[in-house]
Amino acid sequence: MKIFNLKCLLTVEFLIRLLVGLMLFTSSVYFYDSGGFQVSMLFFMLSFLALIFFRFKDLTDVLTNKLHYPFYIFISITIGVNLFWGYLLNDLSFLMDSLTFIYFFLVLILGIIIYQYFNEKFLHDFFWIIFITNILQLLTVLYEGDLTRPAALFNNPNQLGHWGLLSFVASLYLKKNNIINGFLINVNLLLSFFIIFACFSRAAIGGLFIGIIIEFIFDFKSILKYIFLTAIFIVGIGFVYPEFLDFTKKEVIMRFNENDEEDSIIGRGYKRIFKYPKYLILGAGQKRNERFYDEYEFHSSLGMIIFSYGILGFFFFLSFFYSFFKEKWFNLIYFVPLLFFSLYHYSLRMVLLWLLFAIIITENNNLNIHKKNINI
């Protein structure tokens, strides 16, 4: 009987790790239009069903944790606001944004439980999937041969840049907190660097430089090593393929000299806050942009939340993260590069972001009692 139970445990463990791994991997491969159904959602549903069936008590314990209450209130506010505007404008598609927040909150819960249960095995899976995905993204760019802001396996270059920035921040956090060490995590930092520059996303490049400055302040020798390795790599490319360096130089100069209103702070949608301040009270909901006579959508994460769900919704959204970081607020410094990116793009629809949240939240609150240092 004991042997049977052990085999069942191993089978369940393999199944859950496989499903979560596939969820993370397929979240970087867009088969359909952005904002709709993606294959990763299917693997999430299967993962969560397995969690309900095999780890139901752990699930209920995490869901009933009082630290999550601010997010429950936030979701309730989004549902109320979207129902109000959906009824008023006869458009219940407003509720899709509330469902999106519920989905990614459940991804967060899934990540917390998986990390608590599988510990270093989950971190191994997390790192290797990011590492392999980064290689595939770069190989796709090279295979397609389109060096003019490629999107690789995503739908647009900014999504690729966001993935690269998340990969950089995740690797930096795991390395600096001695959770994962070794040669390959340094290689992954360099891969993230090249992904960001390959897509020429100005917000991602800006976030990367902020991350480099943070690394420079706290680990001067380490950043010098990355700069040295990057310089060697670039010089090597220059010898093998000099046309590439000429093209890259021209592309970077052209990209940063663009005077595109859509890429400005105004173009991101912030003028709505000043033009329609009444919506800061209740919230405008997340649909029907034609109400604001604006050709651009609100692309900022925090800007979208405060305008769509009002000051109260914004308060509870921030309160949720404050409740987890108030004891170790210094770890928030790792989110500064991501915060910069979110000023220019709506960046909350990435599975990797919420799994990274799950790891940091678990570490911050000592929820993982079996943590081990991992060398890769």
Side-chain angles (χ1 to χ4, degrees):
M1 187 69 179
K2 289 183 178 180
I3 296 176
F4 174 78
N5 285 338
L6 179 61
K7 288 183 178 179
C8 286
L9 180 63
L10 292 174
T11 303
V12 170
E13 175 181 322
F14 175 78
L15 174 65
I16 294 177
R17 287 175 63 195
L18 176 64
L19 291 173
V20 172
L22 287 171
M23 175 189 71
L24 177 56
F25 174 73
T26 55
S27 71
S28 68
V29 183
Y30 278 42
F31 295 94
Y32 306 103
D33 292 338
S34 304
F37 175 81
Q38 298 295 336
V39 174
S40 60
M41 294 180 179
L42 174 62
F43 290 115
F44 160 76
M45 288 187 285
L46 294 174
S47 303
F48 210 78
L49 285 174
L51 206 63
I52 292 173
F53 190 76
F54 296 108
R55 308 296 300 178
F56 183 74
K57 186 178 185 305
D58 292 337
L59 178 61
T60 54
D61 287 344
V62 174
L63 286 173
T64 54
N65 189 321
K66 64 180 182 180
L67 293 176
H68 296 140
Y69 290 175
F71 205 85
Y72 295 148
I73 298 173
F74 168 72
I75 290 176
S76 300
I77 290 172
T78 71
I79 293 173
V81 170
N82 286 322
L83 273 176
F84 173 79
W85 288 111
Y87 174 78
L88 204 65
L89 300 173
N90 195 28
D91 184 2
L92 291 181
S93 66
F94 272 86
L95 286 171
M96 285 302 298
D97 198 55
S98 297
L99 294 176
T100 300
F101 276 116
I102 292 172
Y103 166 67
F104 283 109
F105 174 71
L106 293 178
V107 169
L108 173 73
I109 297 299
L110 176 67
I112 291 173
I113 295 173
I114 295 300
Y115 186 22
Q116 289 177 340
Y117 186 52
F118 293 116
N119 302 295
E120 72 275 6
K121 293 178 182 178
F122 170 66
L123 292 178
H124 261 118
D125 298 342
F126 181 76
F127 172 78
W128 277 108
I129 290 168
I130 295 174
F131 185 78
I132 292 169
T133 301
N134 285 344
I135 293 174
L136 289 176
Q137 298 288 352
L138 286 173
L139 288 176
T140 302
V141 171
L142 295 174
Y143 174 77
E144 292 177 346
D146 180 13
L147 299 178
T148 308
R149 302 208 67 208
L153 300 174
F154 289 93
N155 283 340
N156 67 65
N158 290 319
Q159 291 170 342
L160 177 61
H162 188 207
W163 173 274
L165 186 60
L166 281 167
S167 171
F168 180 84
V169 171
S171 299
L172 204 61
Y173 175 80
L174 295 173
K175 182 174 184 291
K176 303 308 291 183
N177 286 271
N178 296 315
I179 300 173
I180 296 181
N181 291 304
F183 171 74
L184 287 179
I185 200 160
N186 292 322
V187 174
N188 197 57
L189 284 165
L190 290 175
L191 290 174
S192 306
F193 181 92
F194 295 126
I195 285 175
I196 291 170
F197 272 95
C199 68
F200 296 111
S201 169
R202 287 185 288 192
I205 292 173
L208 174 66
F209 275 114
I210 292 173
I212 289 174
I213 291 171
I214 292 171
E215 176 76 348
F216 183 83
I217 293 172
F218 295 104
D219 194 346
F220 178 75
K221 292 182 180 179
S222 178
I223 200 64
L224 285 180
K225 177 175 64 178
Y226 298 139
I227 292 172
F228 178 71
L229 291 174
T230 302
I232 291 176
F233 184 84
I234 293 173
V235 170
I237 292 179
F239 277 111
V240 177
Y241 188 20
E243 295 85 0
F244 174 78
L245 292 184
D246 291 335
F247 173 83
T248 303
K249 179 181 176 182
K250 292 176 183 177
E251 190 68 22
V252 169
I253 292 173
M254 182 182 71
R255 178 70 178 141
F256 280 88
N257 283 337
E258 286 179 356
N259 188 20
D260 189 352
E261 183 186 353
E262 187 177 357
D263 282 336
S264 67
I265 288 291
I266 297 297
R268 298 289 93 184
Y270 288 99
K271 63 182 178 182
R272 291 184 189 178
I273 294 176
F274 304 102
K275 197 173 181 180
Y276 306 98
K278 61 183 179 181
Y279 288 105
L280 296 178
I281 301 172
L282 173 64
Q286 177 64 346
K287 269 296 182 182
R288 302 289 286 272
N289 294 298
E290 65 272 14
R291 290 177 290 165
F292 313 112
Y293 306 99
D294 193 343
E295 59 179 306
Y296 304 122
E297 295 182 343
F298 212 137
H299 290 286
S300 163
S301 299
L302 296 180
M304 186 284 291
I305 291 173
I306 193 171
F307 188 76
S308 297
Y309 302 114
I311 294 174
L312 193 62
F314 185 70
F315 170 77
F316 281 106
F317 181 82
L318 293 184
S319 295
F320 170 68
F321 292 100
Y322 171 77
S323 63
F324 283 107
F325 286 94
K326 62 183 178 181
E327 299 298 331
K328 296 182 180 179
W329 59 268
F330 188 76
N331 279 331
L332 282 172
I333 197 169
Y334 293 100
F335 290 103
V336 175
L338 300 176
L339 182 62
F340 178 84
F341 184 89
S342 73
L343 293 176
Y344 291 88
H345 298 283
Y346 186 63
S347 57
L348 296 175
R349 298 191 186 107
M350 190 75 79
V351 169
L352 177 55
L353 172 67
W354 292 90
L355 289 181
L356 177 59
F357 278 149
I359 291 171
I360 296 179
I361 284 173
T362 305
E363 289 290 326
N364 255 29
N365 294 271
N366 298 316
L367 300 177
N368 185 12
I369 58 174
H370 304 293
K371 186 181 84 169
K372 296 180 181 179
N373 182 270
I374 302 171
N375 287 293
I376 291 181

